[in-house]
Amino acid sequence: MNVPLSWLKDYVDVDAPPEELARRLTFSGTEVAAIRTVGSSFDGIVVAEIVETAPHPDADDLLVCRVKDGRRVVRVVCGARNFAVGDKAPFAPAGCRLPGGRAIGATEIRGVESEGMLCAEDELGLSDDHSGLLLLPRETPAGAPLAEALGPPETVLDVEVTWNRPDCLSIIGIAREVAALFGGKVKLPSVVFREDGRPVEELAKVTLEDAQGCLRYTARVLWDVKQAPAPLWMRRRLSLCGARAINNIVDITNYVLIECGQPLHAFDYDLLADHHIIVRRARPGETMATLDGAPRCLTPDMTLIADPRKAVAVGGVMGGAGSGIRPATTRVLLEAATFDPLRLHRASLALALSTESSYRYERGVDVARVEWCSRRAAALMTELAGATAARGVIDAYPNPQAERAIRCRYGRVRALYGVETPDDRVVSILESLDLPVVSRDAESCVVLAPSFRPDLEIEADLIEEVVRVNGLDKAPTLTPSALVAPDASDAPAQALIRCRSNLVGLGLTEIMNYSFLPAELLDRFTPGETARRVALPNPVSADYAVMRDSLIPQMADTLGRNRFRQVEHAAFFETGRVFLRDDSGVIHEEERLALGLMGAPGRTALDARKPAQAQESFLWLKGILEQIARVQRVNDLAFAPFEHPALELGRTVAVIVGEAPAGVAGLLRASLGAEYRMNGPVAIAEMSLAPLLARAFGAPELKPVPAFPSVTRDVALVAPANLTNEAIARVIRRHAPPELTSVELFDIFSGEGIRKGYRSLAYSLVYCSAERTLTDEDASRYHAVVKNALTSELGVEIRDK
Amino acid sequence: MTSAEIARTRDEALAEIRVAETLRALEAVRVKYLGRKGLLPQIMKGLKDLPEQNRAAAGLEANELKSRVGEAIEQRGAELGAAGPAREPFDPTLPGLWHRPGAMHLISRVIEDVTRICARIGFTVADGPDVETKHNNFDALNTPERHPSLDPRDTFWLETGECLRTQTSPVQIRVMKSRPPPVRVITPGRCYRRDTTDATHGANFHQIEGLYVDRGVSLADLKGTMAYFARELMGPAVKVRFRPHFFPFTEPSVECDFSCHVCGGAGCRVCKSSGWIEIAGAGMVDPRVFEFVGYDPEEFTGYAWGFGVERVAMVKYGLGDIRVLYENDLRFLEQFA
């Protein structure tokens, strides 16, 4: 909200410089985001009288004007239309500069010479209004410097008002804050005017049917209204606050809105059927056109202002198209009301219509001051628009709001604030904010919360008032001491931290993707899973339409994007949640880990150029899974053949922990890889994170370090190429004596000397006893058993040296 | 010849042996010490001039010296001989054999830093789901129905009536409902708001909040904790200041600025010349929140604070655009190794 200082000073005496004012406001909760100066010395720009206008001979949208600048009459070409002969407007003669720096010269505009420029507000740097010339009062002498007509530059505070303080959405509300901070009293404007017409009850009628939706409705009637531009000072103030001047009647309602925070609506009295206002709920299917011309579909939870024939406004949101002030209007029905904030908020949401009025109503407008604000507007209308006011006001206020008495205990203030605040100080701060303290005792005082402060409900709210006015900076800074809260374990979080650091230690780089992604991406990886997906009813865009049910698509996408950016080798991991819907529609979340490898991340500089092979990529991936399982103390990791729509058939395994499937690992389908222009294998795994975290802090199962030396024997065999390493190792383990402590594959060979379709595998077997030193004979005996088993069970050929 | 002199002779001899770069140089050292007219035979000869009672000990030392020098010459000779013309070429400037290091994501790094800093004063980590109930995300946090944060233009509401949490504060509700005070937790986690992605916003972001509930907690404790936290996270010279603000779930509510860690408060690009950077929201827990979770607001008070992880990451590491955090370009990520 913009607060022009000169306007503020109408209601409170304050001499502090703007910077000090801004600082004090900011540090008491009313943040001043900026201090702006509007206006300048307007060097060379004068007030000119328009003495003649004529159409431009060669351009329909331009006028050729003759203007008197005090010394002579000059010709000016002008694009605005909002003026008549005799009007006064700012004139920048050729040779001067506009406040923005633009030089004005004599030019020819479509064949007609123009010796300067008549100015709109934006050209003078006053606002961004370019709707027409800035019209000055007709009594301003032609030739007077513009600075004299407009007065000195204005200082405007740009104030950010928090949601809980609707009272500060007004100049008077800010003045109240300033008065509390700097001392002093708020001076309210005059609301005295002559009510010399007929009683209002004879002229209009108000029926308040929807008393839940509309808490209070007041109506005044004024006639003999003389429409004209509002006085310059009022137009200037509205302009400084970002409101556009329209005519004196509408401008007065806007002025009072900004001044007091009370939205008002001026109806054309003669457009209201029977001069009867009915405040009611909208009927099902009812429609109306609002001021902005848009047709609106209404629902019964909206409060309407209507006459017996038609709706004339969506209460508190926007007026209707056919009942507002028009050029012919001479009689006005002035509405000032309050509406239920929640109902109004819902109406504003449903209509997707937010106005200055609805913005204030949904935060809370002071119900007690409605009538006063109506009087303020009526006083201005009689003073500035020559209106005659009917006697009295129609005031439908069926359920007057009770004032809340709130007790504030001094001890509680000190306990929460941490500052020894004297009792009298507490009371004086509350009173300085216009919060009446109605009683006091030794421990506490009682405040009657005024209706302009809907945010004050409980003691803590009053304590906040004391704290923010007295100053947060006064609270001491206590050095924190540690606390051990019982029953507080964060082992899962700590296990994740350990797991992450272990993954980094294994050479993986962590990535992070959004939790939502385009449905199309999921379709490419896991088609047919759509029923289990969680789609967002109101996504920001199609790119973020569905919650991820797998980390694989984004992992592939990330690798692809890096590949596209000329990154050759990468080893990534991501931990994150996936979202799955079960058959009954309940959404489940699961923490997952994804791994992704491309290029030759496991190799070093000297052999990085050799292209990665499918087998090699897979084994890197598998190795990482095995290693992370090991350091996270998972000792029952296994793999089994598996299928996954995004992974290559026959090159994919299920990751199994204990007996339970925990995830999948494999090579990205070549067709998907091709979409990302991958030129080599891409290995991807995804598994549930829980099994990796469950035992992270468990003690290892210790085995004694061998006390006796071991004996190592190798065995090489030739086997069909489709006989797996695991099958061979399993036979070795099953038949070897307990003294076998490890089996390690150390060579694979095919080619020269080996039949086609076969390969040679060489294993190193270590035998060791816990009781004695094994002899050569022992080892030979054990080894013979193993070799026999291999030939008899698998039919492989043992290669002896 | 005293023991000290013998020791000095030994040190000198060993040093000369060590620096002998060729067999010839080594031979010269041998002659100097062990040769017929070398230093050691002279020492031996000098023994007989010593007083009777010292002679035996000095003899032992001299013999030991002789054998040490002899061994050293032999050993160095073997080294120089083996490293003769048959040595393999050796280039210490070849690239080292790397096990390429990985890197933690910057967001994880900030979360882990904060977790570690807070753990020192007894904060444990608490967690909750991303899909939250309206009750936990709004109602129990004293957020009225008409507060703009519930607006479907700002919050992702799901068909189930739940929402994607807009803050990690609902975890505070879960924690307080599950156990009695004292409570001291931080709640790092992912949050969602319907923001259009730009340089400083994303619809998906992370928050960390802290909550402390106990008897006698005051604003002074909150200030002290934030001051400690600012120093630990951003640097020892960083100060904090509070400005009153509004949040539905705290009363009083404050915004917490950190003095600029780059310019020290003098004003620079990072702090937009103000010397201060807005970092966190905080306040004393609203008694109405305590009522929702069944804590007695007369007996207990508490503070809560929270901030955006991405924002802190950007401020701390001088990033101009939040999107770089979710692009996952290896060349960016690996700089945090």
Side-chain angles (χ1 to χ4, degrees):
Chain A
M1 176 165 149
N2 290 346
V3 179
L5 279 192
S6 69
W7 196 353
L8 180 72
K9 287 179 181 178
D10 279 358
Y11 315 115
V12 62
D13 292 323
V14 58
D15 299 327
E19 293 72 20
E20 172 68 1
L21 193 57
R23 196 186 62 80
R24 296 282 294 274
L25 279 169
T26 296
F27 284 92
S28 62
T30 312
E31 185 176 349
V32 178
I35 304 174
R36 290 183 293 124
T37 302
V38 179
S40 70
S41 56
F42 300 114
D43 290 336
I45 303 175
V46 297
V47 177
E49 178 179 342
I50 294 147
V51 294
E52 187 190 311
T53 69
H56 190 289
D58 198 23
D60 290 345
D61 53 350
L62 294 177
L63 290 176
V64 180
C65 306
R66 294 176 68 78
V67 305
K68 198 162 71 184
D69 72 356
R71 288 180 294 133
R72 58 201 185 105
V73 173
V74 297
R75 187 159 56 179
V76 186
V77 176
C78 176
R81 295 264 166 186
N82 65 323
F83 56 87
V85 168
D87 278 342
K88 303 278 172 59
F91 175 61
C96 83
R97 271 178 194 281
L98 295 179
R102 178 175 156 199
I104 299 298
T107 52
E108 218 183 71
I109 300 173
R110 305 197 72 157
V112 177
E113 198 178 339
S114 181
E115 296 178 64
M117 188 167 108
L118 290 165
C119 303
E121 287 196 8
D122 63 337
E123 287 146 347
L124 296 168
L126 294 172
S127 74
D128 57 2
D129 188 351
H130 191 66
S131 59
L133 300 185
L134 168 62
L135 294 185
L136 302 163
R138 283 197 167 201
E139 60 274 18
T140 319
L146 179 63
E148 254 170 48
L150 285 182
E154 266 286 354
T155 302
V156 180
L157 304 182
D158 178 359
V159 172
E160 287 178 3
V161 178
T162 52
W163 183 82
N164 60 326
R165 291 298 304 275
D167 61 304
C168 285
L169 293 169
S170 68
I171 308 287
I172 289 176
I174 300 291
R176 206 180 280 120
E177 288 291 309
V178 171
L181 294 172
F182 289 88
K185 274 271 162 232
V186 171
K187 298 169 291 181
L188 293 178
S190 165
V191 294
V192 179
F193 61 102
R194 282 183 60 192
E195 298 171 273
D196 46 6
R198 289 159 59 192
V200 68
E201 291 81 4
E202 292 175 17
L203 298 166
K205 190 176 163 197
V206 170
T207 307
L208 177 52
E209 286 178 10
D210 181 10
Q212 270 94 48
C214 175
L215 307 177
R216 186 175 187 181
Y217 194 96
T218 70
R220 281 198 148 80
V221 175
L222 300 108
W223 65 93
D224 285 346
V225 169
K226 288 159 202 72
Q227 282 191 51
L232 181 65
W233 61 266
M234 181 178 278
R235 284 186 282 134
R236 290 296 313 127
R237 283 184 171 182
L238 290 176
S239 161
L240 291 168
C241 293
R244 201 151 281 183
I246 294 169
N247 60 47
N248 48 4
I249 301 302
V250 175
D251 289 357
I252 286 168
T253 61
N254 285 334
Y255 185 83
V256 175
L257 168 80
I258 296 167
E259 180 185 54
C260 310
Q262 169 68 52
L264 299 162
H265 190 66
F267 291 103
D268 184 320
Y269 175 79
D270 294 301
L271 294 178
L272 295 170
D274 304 341
H275 312 307
H276 184 185
I277 292 281
I278 302 164
V279 183
R280 60 170 171 83
R281 284 171 180 267
R283 302 191 183 99
E286 191 169 359
T287 59
M288 75 174 286
T290 40
L291 263 179
D292 53 2
R296 304 283 175 181
C297 296
L298 309 172
T299 55
D301 52 359
M302 297 176 187
T303 303
L304 281 198
I305 313 302
D307 66 20
R309 275 187 233 134
K310 60 187 184 293
V312 294
V314 181
V317 181
M318 191 179 264
S323 57
I325 302 301
R326 56 194 168 131
T329 301
T330 59
R331 299 199 285 183
V332 168
L333 184 140
L334 177 68
E335 165 198 293
T338 51
F339 297 90
D340 176 65
L342 179 56
R343 287 264 306 274
L344 190 129
H345 171 69
R346 288 185 177 148
S348 157
L349 265 187
L351 295 169
L353 190 59
S354 180
T355 59
E356 288 289 330
S357 165
S358 70
Y359 188 82
R360 285 174 172 80
Y361 276 128
E362 62 193 3
R363 283 163 173 75
V365 163
D366 182 2
V367 69
R369 208 170 278 259
V370 170
E371 198 275 327
W372 187 88
C373 294
S374 160
R375 239 185 300 157
R376 170 66 174 151
L380 287 169
M381 286 182 191
T382 55
E383 183 190 337
L384 303 175
T388 303
R391 219 164 47 240
V393 61
I394 300 175
D395 186 355
Y397 188 20
N399 306 303
Q401 209 180 70
E403 285 176 311
R404 289 178 307 278
I406 309 170
R407 182 174 297 278
C408 179
R409 290 165 296 176
Y410 309 127
R412 197 73 181 167
V413 174
R414 294 189 274 267
L416 213 62
Y417 189 7
V419 175
E420 279 303 318
T421 322
D423 304 354
D424 285 345
R425 177 74 182 139
V426 172
V427 170
S428 74
I429 288 174
L430 294 173
E431 285 178 336
S432 74
L433 288 160
D434 270 354
L435 309 178
V437 173
V438 291
S439 70
R440 299 183 57 165
D441 59 28
E443 275 87 44
S444 65
C445 63
V446 174
V447 165
L448 212 51
S451 56
F452 63 81
R453 290 296 303 272
D455 60 312
L456 302 181
E457 291 176 337
I458 60 172
E459 184 180 46
D461 299 323
L462 294 179
I463 296 173
E464 177 173 56
E465 297 301 298
V466 175
V467 169
R468 69 181 184 88
V469 172
N470 202 48
L472 283 161
D473 55 335
K474 301 219 172 52
T477 303
L478 283 183
T479 303
S481 52
L483 169 102
V484 178
D487 312 326
S489 162
D490 58 359
Q494 301 298 340
L496 176 60
I497 287 174
R498 172 176 290 197
C499 182
R500 187 184 288 126
S501 108
N502 281 332
L503 286 162
V504 168
L506 288 169
L508 293 133
T509 294
E510 187 181 19
I511 60 169
M512 235 177 244
N513 282 295
Y514 272 20
S515 294
F516 18 67
L517 35 64
E520 167 271 329
L521 181 61
L522 281 180
D523 287 340
R524 264 162 43 209
F525 285 80
T526 50
E529 294 277 318
T530 47
R532 298 179 66 209
R533 288 182 198 155
V534 180
L536 292 177
N538 58 340
V540 181
S541 75
D543 280 345
Y544 307 132
V546 182
M547 304 301 290
R548 55 183 174 181
D549 61 3
S550 162
L551 304 183
I552 290 179
Q554 288 163 317
M555 176 56 80
D557 219 41
T558 303
L559 289 166
R561 193 165 48 250
N562 276 277
R563 178 72 195 86
F564 188 72
R565 293 177 175 184
Q566 294 178 299
V567 172
E568 300 283 335
H569 314 284
F572 287 138
F573 78 97
E574 176 170 16
T575 65
R577 288 177 180 173
V578 299
F579 303 81
L580 301 162
R581 214 166 48 165
D582 67 18
D583 295 339
S584 56
V586 177
I587 299 167
H588 299 273
E589 297 175 32
E590 191 192 356
E591 299 270 0
R592 297 249 178 106
L593 165 68
L595 307 176
L597 309 175
M598 72 172 177
R603 301 207 207 112
T604 54
L606 292 179
D607 59 353
R609 297 288 293 272
K610 194 176 69 180
Q613 300 302 311
Q615 176 81 77
E616 179 190 16
S617 286
F618 178 85
L619 292 180
W620 270 325
L621 182 70
K622 183 181 173 188
I624 288 165
L625 285 165
E626 289 167 334
Q627 291 175 84
I628 191 63
R630 178 171 180 150
V631 292
Q632 295 293 116
R633 305 223 183 291
V634 175
N635 51 17
D636 46 6
L637 180 79
F639 303 95
F642 197 63
E643 285 180 26
H644 186 281
L647 303 177
E648 281 284 339
L649 208 59
R651 294 175 172 191
T652 301
V653 294
V655 179
I656 296 164
V657 176
E659 299 290 305
V664 62
L667 297 181
L668 186 67
R669 243 177 226 280
S671 56
L672 283 168
E675 288 183 34
Y676 293 111
R677 292 190 237 165
M678 290 291 184
N679 54 358
V682 173
I684 289 187
E686 179 180 37
M687 69 177 289
S688 173
L689 203 48
L692 287 178
L693 305 185
R695 282 169 274 185
F697 299 112
E701 286 172 32
L702 289 184
K703 288 185 204 129
V705 174
F708 299 97
S710 60
V711 182
T712 302
R713 289 291 162 94
D714 296 345
V715 57
L717 51 88
V718 176
N722 60 3
L723 183 64
T724 64
N725 163 55
E726 194 175 270
I728 296 166
R730 204 184 303 129
V731 167
I732 294 175
R733 284 213 183 79
R734 178 143 33 92
H735 293 276
E739 283 79 3
L740 178 74
T741 53
S742 85
V743 180
E744 216 163 274
L745 176 69
F746 70 87
D747 188 43
I748 302 181
F749 174 72
S750 57
E752 207 178 322
I754 305 292
R755 270 172 305 181
K756 212 172 158 54
Y758 283 74
R759 58 180 179 170
S760 156
L761 300 107
Y763 293 87
S764 173
L765 279 59
V766 178
Y767 301 100
C768 185
S769 161
E771 278 109 37
R772 62 196 173 88
T773 301
L774 295 180
T775 62
D776 253 12
E777 293 73 50
D778 294 326
S780 299
R781 207 169 61 241
Y782 302 151
H783 211 51
V785 173
V786 170
K787 286 179 181 170
N788 280 338
L790 286 170
T791 45
S792 60
E793 285 220 8
L794 298 173
V796 301
E797 175 195 329
I798 304 292
R799 298 176 81 200
D800 281 315
K801 284 182 199 133
Chain B
M1 178 59 69
T2 64
S3 298
E5 283 169 316
I6 288 176
R8 201 180 62 236
T9 308
R10 183 190 64 216
D11 292 346
E12 282 169 7
L14 293 179
E16 285 175 43
I17 291 163
R18 218 167 24 244
V19 299
E21 280 297 333
T22 60
L23 288 171
R24 180 183 294 190
L26 186 66
E27 176 60 14
V29 178
R30 193 193 66 79
V31 170
K32 176 178 173 190
Y33 287 95
L34 302 178
R36 207 152 39 84
K37 292 180 180 163
L39 282 170
L40 294 192
Q42 280 178 33
I43 289 171
M44 294 305 220
K45 250 182 261 167
L47 286 175
K48 63 178 193 301
D49 302 332
L50 288 174
E52 178 75 39
Q53 69 271 28
N54 294 350
R55 206 178 292 159
L60 274 175
E61 283 177 35
N63 275 325
E64 201 181 299
L65 169 66
K66 194 174 165 191
S67 61
R68 272 294 293 281
V69 172
E71 278 167 26
I73 288 175
E74 204 169 303
Q75 197 184 335
R76 182 70 185 148
E79 281 172 19
L80 292 177
R87 258 177 135 185
E88 277 182 31
F90 186 84
D91 181 357
T93 69
L94 289 178
L97 288 181
W98 273 46
H99 170 77
R100 272 169 214 264
M104 197 185 288
H105 195 278
L106 188 48
I107 289 171
S108 294
R109 189 189 184 95
V110 171
I111 290 174
E112 291 198 6
D113 283 351
V114 172
T115 304
R116 192 176 57 248
I117 290 166
C118 292
R120 280 181 54 202
I121 49 173
F123 283 88
T124 50
V125 179
D127 199 4
D130 289 16
V131 175
E132 257 300 358
T133 60
K134 173 172 172 286
H135 178 84
N136 284 343
N137 197 77
F138 294 111
D139 303 345
L141 290 161
N142 193 40
T143 311
E145 195 75 35
R146 63 197 160 87
H147 192 271
S149 60
L150 279 87
D151 196 321
R153 285 172 297 199
D154 295 329
T155 295
F156 292 104
W157 292 100
L158 301 173
E159 277 160 5
T160 55
E162 297 159 301
C163 64
L164 297 181
R165 64 179 174 195
T166 60
Q167 49 200 0
T168 55
S169 324
V171 182
Q172 299 183 13
I173 298 296
R174 288 171 177 272
V175 169
M176 288 191 281
K177 277 183 175 167
S178 71
R179 59 178 197 251
V183 162
R184 204 180 264 202
V185 291
I186 56 168
T187 63
R190 191 170 273 210
C191 308
Y192 309 85
R193 288 182 195 169
R194 279 193 82 248
D195 284 327
T196 306
T197 304
D198 63 20
T200 53
H201 296 87
N204 173 133
F205 62 99
H206 294 76
Q207 260 193 355
I208 303 181
E209 299 193 6
L211 171 73
Y212 173 39
V213 182
D214 206 343
R215 291 186 181 83
V217 182
S218 83
L219 207 52
D221 296 298
L222 173 60
K223 265 181 115 169
T225 303
M226 293 315 281
Y228 159 77
F229 181 71
R231 283 194 309 271
E232 294 288 322
L233 188 67
M234 304 303 281
V238 172
K239 307 254 181 300
V240 297
R241 73 173 188 195
F242 282 179
R243 284 177 289 116
H245 198 66
F246 168 73
F247 303 108
F249 34 88
T250 46
E251 191 79 48
S253 301
V254 302
E255 281 198 312
C256 182
D257 302 333
F258 288 8
S259 64
C260 184
H261 58 291
V262 176
C263 63
C268 68
R269 185 184 58 83
V270 172
C271 59
K272 300 195 182 84
S273 311
S274 74
W276 294 91
I277 304 172
E278 192 180 313
I279 296 285
M284 305 305 294
V285 180
D286 194 302
R288 285 161 286 207
V289 172
F290 283 152
E291 280 164 17
F292 271 110
V293 299
Y295 284 8
D296 179 1
E298 284 295 302
E299 188 178 357
F300 295 103
T301 51
Y303 64 65
W305 47 263
F307 61 83
V309 176
E310 281 83 349
R311 170 155 174 78
V312 165
M314 289 171 73
V315 165
K316 187 169 175 184
Y317 294 94
L319 305 181
D321 194 323
I322 197 171
R323 286 169 288 203
V324 75
L325 293 171
Y326 290 95
E327 266 174 22
N328 297 317
D329 190 311
L330 181 66
R331 296 162 299 178
F332 172 75
L333 298 173
E334 68 188 0
Q335 295 179 54
F336 296 95

